[in-house]
Amino acid sequence: MTLEIFKQAFQAGYDEIHRRFETHGQGDDTVHENCFLIDQMVRLVHDFAVSHEYPAGAATTGQVMSVVAVGGYGRGELAPKSDIDLLFLLPYKRTSHGEQVVEYILYMLWDLV
């Protein structure tokens, strides 16, 4: 159910970007809009993972995480259907919570398309 909701949101965003490109033909706008769409999807999936799938209450220093875009995506230049390169920064000491959240995010993003 959750995956279907994310898929619908992604597809709606993708369709809107495609419509704008077909109307205006601005490639620069398209690559920036693609980045914004993926930013929002990563944020939504992450937030859902930590609040509903793997809630940890008040996060300790061992449960903090940063998700960083790298490559073309990190530069804000993501062509349609391009790979999404993400870097997960976690504390030195690995926890099962952190691994579960990362795994959930990756599987959900892989299954979006």
Side-chain angles (χ1 to χ4, degrees):
M1 177 73 170
T2 303
L3 177 59
E4 287 306 314
I5 293 169
F6 287 143
K7 279 184 174 185
Q8 289 172 6
F10 174 76
Q11 191 62 51
Y14 184 83
D15 291 346
E16 176 61 18
I17 293 168
H18 186 264
R19 184 195 65 74
R20 290 179 187 184
F21 179 74
E22 290 294 322
T23 301
H24 304 291
Q26 298 293 321
D28 288 349
D29 291 344
T30 301
V31 295
H32 298 298
E33 291 166 356
N34 277 325
C35 282
F36 181 78
L37 173 61
I38 297 303
D39 285 346
Q40 300 314 304
M41 295 309 302
V42 170
R43 182 185 56 80
L44 285 171
V45 172
H46 169 271
D47 291 353
F48 185 83
V50 297
S51 63
H52 297 287
E53 292 294 324
Y54 301 102
T60 66
T61 56
Q63 295 170 316
V64 295
M65 169 189 307
S66 292
V67 183
V68 181
V70 295
Y73 173 40
R75 288 187 303 274
E77 300 171 345
L78 185 64
K81 305 293 184 180
S82 291
D83 290 345
I84 300 164
D85 299 315
L86 295 174
L87 170 67
F88 292 88
L89 295 175
L90 301 162
Y92 175 73
K93 185 176 180 185
R94 296 170 103 182
T95 65
S96 61
H97 179 264
E99 290 178 3
Q100 289 171 322
V101 171
V102 169
E103 186 176 275
Y104 183 88
I105 292 169
L106 290 175
Y107 283 136
M108 193 64 74
L109 293 173
W110 284 328
D111 290 342
L112 275 178
V113 290

